[in-house]
């Protein structure tokens, strides 16, 4: 099929490259050289179209449970409109402490081992800035959340990605991690369950990775944002393993499990010297997280368990449906044990992942995200999010099926 | 829980075909599942959830607290079942506390409900007293909020 202009520009990774004006000379080199997010480009493309069923989202379709919204309204009525402690409200830090102990089995002191941040996004950025000296290497597994690589670059670190594969259900193979290590590696970012693959880590692997971290004296940044959305087995936090608490910054937040992305609340837990260092950056760049959101997060952590369980059940049922449909139509897809993402292989269509995404969007108006938006080893895959009602999901899957069955799609 | 029943309870409007697709069943199997649920007395029937406010034009709904005398054999059951059979009664529950039965009743107008209470209900042997409250306005019905002016969609179509 003939590609429209924007499509080909997107395929060449050059959507909306606007006038290279003279103002560019004001930019810092490392920012100018930062590649644009593949997600952003695709968003531009989708936003020009109507009637799209989007599986390209990265957040829940549920509105924040009412009792949590009501807590924010109540706080506003009570005139809670001030700054808070730089660390965040003490009552929220206490709630975080109880919650993390209860759910993950790790104890943190609310006084100086917990920092409330503006989402895990800020927590991750602040942690990286607090630990990286220029040139320090940070390891992480790919495909991964889009911000890891740029956040490392913005902190003048050097990214050391380690590939994960469909054959391994996108778990991190400890042997590959060990092989990728070189002197100068200082930290390791882990995110299980993983955005975009839904990969999880079993206990033996987690333990082996922990032993490796101890052996190489790596600091682990564990992004636990999808922990509650684990469907099978129990999620183990690496910080709970022997010797790991002292070398782990535990990052978590309320965005995904509590359907609170717009509230922008995350938290970092770790040894006091690390949290204090992060607090210094947070204090000067953010001052504090918004108080109304902190109040809502308190309600979520203290009383949100049932809401989370209800949403998780929904996600699990939707996952089963979507995974089955992808496999039926000849797009091999492993069953993610966590998150609300599926990561099917589209290699059998003979198309590249970007071409697949663009053509699917043009011909059937379904949006999925090309796997390479999450790292080069996402080639041949797309991310399809199932945080959407059945009405839309059933229709979207029928459309994808029709698309891959078309004679123009060559099956290899 | 039974997956078909779960999908119905989730409250999304799905056709039997859609339910089948989600549950991995054929249309025939979904319908068989419906029949089985009905036969086991789990699924009592099908009806849309109508806004009581929209209905109020030509309907009156009332909640009636009824005190009755329990009997040596069967306690409250015989009388409760007898009351429940009246067409005016939408639902009927035995309650703990200050009265025995809570009856939800409806009629075309005030007069119809009033005559049901005064002529049928309170004259029954064993009914000691009734207290009738008329519904004025509803805010939530069977889990559905009324008068929500629609949530605004803010979620972007593509995000990380
Ligand atoms: C793995 C991962 N980490 C962090 C974030 C950011 O979360 P927050 O809303 O807490 O900033 C996301 C959001 O998509 C994510 O997928």
């Amino acid at each position: 099929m003939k590609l429209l202009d924007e499509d080909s520009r997107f395929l060449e990774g050059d959507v909306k490259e606007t006038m290279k004006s003279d103002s560019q000379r004001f930019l810092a080199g490392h920012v100018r050289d930062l590649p644009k997010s593949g997600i952003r480009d695709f968003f531009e493309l989708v936003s020009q179209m109507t009637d799209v069923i989007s599986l390209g989202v990265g957040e829940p379709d549920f509105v924040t449970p009412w009792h949590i919204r009501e807590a924010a309204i109540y706080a506003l009525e009570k005139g809670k409109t001030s700054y808070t402690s730089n660390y965040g409200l003490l009552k929220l830090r206490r709630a975080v402490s109880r919650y993390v102990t209860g759910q993950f089995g790790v104890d943190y002191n609310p006084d100086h081992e917990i920092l409330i941040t503006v989402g895990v996004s800020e927590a991750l950025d602040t942690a990286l800035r607090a630990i990286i000296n220029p040139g320090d290497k940070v390891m992480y597994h790919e495909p991964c959340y889009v911000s890891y690589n740029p956040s490392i670059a913005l902190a003048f670190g050097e990214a050391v990605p380690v590939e994960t594969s469909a054959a391994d259900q996108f778990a991190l193979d400890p042997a590959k991690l060990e092989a990728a290590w070189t002197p100068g590696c200082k930290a390791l970012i882990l995110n299980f369950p993983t955005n975009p693959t839904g990969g999880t880590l079993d206990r033996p692997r987690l333990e082996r990775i922990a032993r490796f971290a101890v052996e190489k004296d790596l600091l682990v940044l564990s992004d636990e944002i999808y922990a509650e959305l684990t469907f099978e087995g129990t999620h183990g936090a690496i910080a709970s393993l022997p010797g790991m608490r002292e070398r782990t910054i535990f990052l978590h937040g309320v965005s995904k499990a509590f359907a609170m992305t717009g509230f922008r609340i995350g938290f970092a837990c770790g040894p006091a010297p690390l949290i204090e260092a992060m607090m210094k950056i947070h204090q000067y760049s953010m001052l504090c997280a918004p108080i109304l959101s902190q109040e809502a997060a308190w309600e979520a952590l203290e009383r949100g368990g049932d809401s989370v369980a209800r949403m998780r059940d929904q996600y699990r049922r939707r996952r089963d449906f979507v995974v089955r449909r992808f496999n039926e139509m000849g797009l091999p897809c492993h069953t993610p044990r966590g998150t609300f993402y599926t990561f099917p292989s589209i290699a059998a269509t003979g198309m590249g992942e970007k071409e697949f995404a663009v053509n699917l969007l043009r011909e059937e108006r379904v949006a999925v995200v090309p796997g390479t938006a999450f790292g080069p080893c996402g080639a041949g895959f797309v991310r399809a999010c199932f945080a959407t009602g059945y009405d839309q999901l059933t229709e979207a899957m029928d459309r994808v099926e029709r698309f891959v069955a078309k004679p123009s799609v060559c099956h290899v | 829980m039974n997956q078909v029943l779960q999908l119905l309870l989730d409250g999304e409007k799905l056709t039997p075909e859609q339910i089948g697709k989600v549950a991995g069943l054929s249309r025939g199997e979904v319908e068989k599942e419906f029949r089985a649920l009905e036969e086991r007395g789990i699924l009592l029937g099908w009806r849309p959830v109508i806004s009581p406010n929209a209905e109020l034009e030509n309907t009156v709904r009332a909640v009636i607290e009824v005190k009755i005398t329990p009997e040596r054999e069967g306690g409250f059951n015989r009388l409760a079942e007898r009351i429940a059979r009246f067409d005016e009664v939408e639902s009927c529950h035995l309650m703990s506390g200050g009265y025995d039965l809570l009856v939800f009743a409806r009629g075309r107008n005030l007069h119809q409900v009033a005559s049901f209470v005064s002529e049928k209900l309170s004259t029954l042997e064993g009914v000691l007293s009734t207290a009738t409250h008329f519904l004025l306005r509803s805010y939530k019905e069977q889990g559905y909020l009324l008068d929500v002016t629609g949530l605004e969609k803010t979620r972007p179509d593509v995000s990380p």
Side-chain angles (χ1 to χ4, degrees), chain A residues 58-59 118-122 124 144-148 191 193-195 223 225-226 252-256 260-262 264-266 341 383, chain B residues 159-160:
Chain A
E59 59 181 319
V118 178
V120 169
S121 303
E122 193 225 340
L124 182 79
C144 69
Y145 182 48
V146 293
S147 83
Y148 293 169
N191 168 228
T194 311
N195 174 8
D223 178 346
I225 191 90
Y226 294 101
H252 197 7
V254 293
S255 283
K256 311 290 173 165
M260 291 176 70
T261 45
R264 311 303 307 121
I265 292 292
Y341 307 109
R383 188 190 75 178
Chain B
S159 55

Side-chain angles (χ1 to χ4, degrees), chain A residues 60-66 69 73, chain B residues 145-155:
Chain A
D61 58 326
F62 299 110
V63 180
T64 308
W66 171 250
R69 283 186 277 158
I73 295 168
Chain B
L145 284 175
L146 275 66
D147 298 332
V148 273
T149 33
L151 292 166
E152 242 172 87
K153 174 188 179 280
T154 57
R155 187 169 72 149

Side-chain angles (χ1 to χ4, degrees), chain A residues 141-220:
Chain A
H141 49 95
E142 258 182 3
C144 69
Y145 182 48
V146 293
S147 83
Y148 293 169
N149 182 303
S151 298
I152 295 166
L154 284 173
F156 304 102
E158 201 184 302
V160 182
V162 184
E163 285 189 11
T164 62
S165 66
D168 228 358
Q169 308 240 316
F170 296 100
L172 174 56
D173 179 353
K176 279 194 190 153
L177 175 70
E178 288 159 16
W181 183 89
T182 53
C185 283
K186 185 169 194 175
L188 166 65
I189 306 177
L190 293 178
N191 168 228
F192 293 100
T194 311
N195 174 8
T197 60
T200 53
L201 270 189
D202 59 21
R203 190 87 188 174
R205 286 188 189 221
L206 195 67
E207 283 170 358
R208 181 157 159 203
I209 291 167
R211 279 197 302 276
F212 179 68
V214 172
E215 183 193 319
K216 299 296 184 191
D217 197 24
L218 292 171
L219 176 73
V220 174

Side-chain angles (χ1 to χ4, degrees), chain A residues 30 46 50 95 109 134 137 156 167 212 223 280 294 378 384 401:
Chain A
H30 69 295
V46 174
T50 51
N109 183 330
K137 294 177 193 161
F156 304 102
F212 179 68
D223 178 346
K280 277 200 282 188
Q294 292 194 50
E401 181 167 46

Side-chain angles (χ1 to χ4, degrees), chain A residues 318-369:
Chain A
R318 294 171 183 182
R319 174 202 66 173
D320 292 346
F321 166 66
V322 170
V323 168
R324 199 188 67 237
R325 292 289 283 126
F326 275 132
N327 283 304
E328 275 170 9
M329 67 181 81
L331 300 181
C333 180
H334 82 106
T335 303
R337 289 176 55 229
T339 74
F340 34 60
Y341 307 109
T342 53
F343 205 63
S345 162
I346 50 87
T349 63
M351 281 182 267
E353 67 288 339
K354 284 189 177 179
E355 198 187 350
F356 179 94
V358 170
N359 289 342
L360 177 63
L361 184 63
R362 289 281 174 215
E363 292 180 28
E364 293 289 351
R365 313 226 152 207
V366 175
V368 295
V369 183

